[in-house]
Amino acid sequence: PPALVTPDGTVTYLDIPPGPPLGLGGLPFEATDHHLPDGSLLALYTDGLIESRDRDIDTGLDMLRHALSTPAPTLEATCDHILKTLLPDRPADDDIAVLLARTHTLTTGQVASWDLPADPAVVAHARTLTTGQLTTWNLPDAIPTTTLVVSELVTNAIRHTTGPIHLRLIRDRGTLICEVSDTSNTAPHLRRARTLDENGRGLFLIAQLTHHWGTRYNRTGKTIWAEQLI
């Protein structure tokens, strides 16, 4: 189970529905929601970290709880401390992965969002809104790439949905994230367009121009996001 470290240092294991290991494919997962206070630390890991031939899983969970309760200056330092605590002087019996994430809230000045109709005419308006917001944030160098990303994502959403479209820009510490949400569950696919193809270059361009991009799904559709370094 994921481990949650609240800002006061308390470590608990989240109660989540049982499910198959990630990566098996073809099996459903039950979603669950948990409220994480601002400044919380969430630890995800594989069973190879806590279980081995000479240590049962309960002992491993206790050791991980102790490691997470020790303050560290960075997430990288916390990861190093976890590995040193649970694997002090022995090779791992299994593959090990540890992923840490810390929550923080964004101020209203760091987020801009708009609801747009699924109309091809709205693409130009979305570019205008984006240019205005980046000008307000004093990010002129990000305007060319971001307006191209917005154009491609909004156009893609219009082609694959009849419902409303939501555009959101997030300015975080050192990054600018562009999100476009729609009501379709159609999965986007990155492909290389042939010389005479009129379509198929959108996601390829986004992948070339941004630092990361991806898709997340919810009960009513999906969100495609793209992140730039600023």
Side-chain angles (χ1 to χ4, degrees), residues 126-127 130 146-155 167 169 178 180:
R127 289 196 298 266
T130 300
T146 309
T147 52
L148 187 148
V149 169
V150 167
S151 293
E152 295 296 337
L153 292 183
V154 171
T155 299
L167 168 63
L169 300 177
C178 172
V180 173

Side-chain angles (χ1 to χ4, degrees), residues 3-6 8-13 61 64-70:
L4 173 64
V5 186
T6 52
D8 64 0
T10 302
V11 182
T12 58
Y13 289 104
L61 289 172
L64 178 58
R65 185 195 304 273
H66 177 73
L68 287 170
S69 65
T70 303

Side-chain angles (χ1 to χ4, degrees), residues 19-36:
L22 294 175
L24 288 185
L27 298 173
F29 293 86
E30 182 179 349
T32 184
D33 293 326
H34 291 275
H35 176 73
L36 306 182

Side-chain angles (χ1 to χ4, degrees), residues 84-210:
K84 290 179 181 178
T85 300
L86 280 90
L87 303 168
D89 53 8
R90 65 178 180 83
D93 296 329
D94 195 0
D95 293 336
I96 292 175
V98 180
L99 174 64
L100 301 183
R102 191 179 301 280
T103 63
H104 67 276
T105 57
L106 299 172
T107 65
T108 55
Q110 293 176 273
V111 181
S113 60
W114 304 273
D115 290 318
L116 306 172
D119 181 350
V122 82
V123 177
H125 181 52
R127 289 196 298 266
T128 300
L129 293 172
T130 300
T131 299
Q133 186 59 55
L134 294 184
T135 301
T136 300
W137 283 340
N138 194 27
L139 297 174
D141 293 341
I143 290 176
T145 296
T146 309
T147 52
L148 187 148
V149 169
V150 167
S151 293
E152 295 296 337
L153 292 183
V154 171
T155 299
N156 186 70
I158 291 172
R159 287 176 177 171
H160 295 94
T161 187
T162 58
I165 297 168
H166 187 74
L167 168 63
R168 182 165 71 162
L169 300 177
I170 303 172
R171 181 183 182 179
D172 202 354
R173 294 169 292 185
T175 61
L176 175 65
I177 301 172
C178 172
E179 296 183 346
V180 173
S181 304
D182 60 53
T183 58
S184 170
N185 286 315
T186 303
H189 297 287
L190 180 65
R191 65 185 179 91
R192 290 181 179 269
R194 295 172 295 183
T195 303
L196 299 179
D197 287 348
E198 295 184 3
N199 300 315
R201 294 181 173 84
L203 289 179
F204 179 75
L205 287 173
I206 290 172
Q208 296 299 308
L209 294 174
T210 62

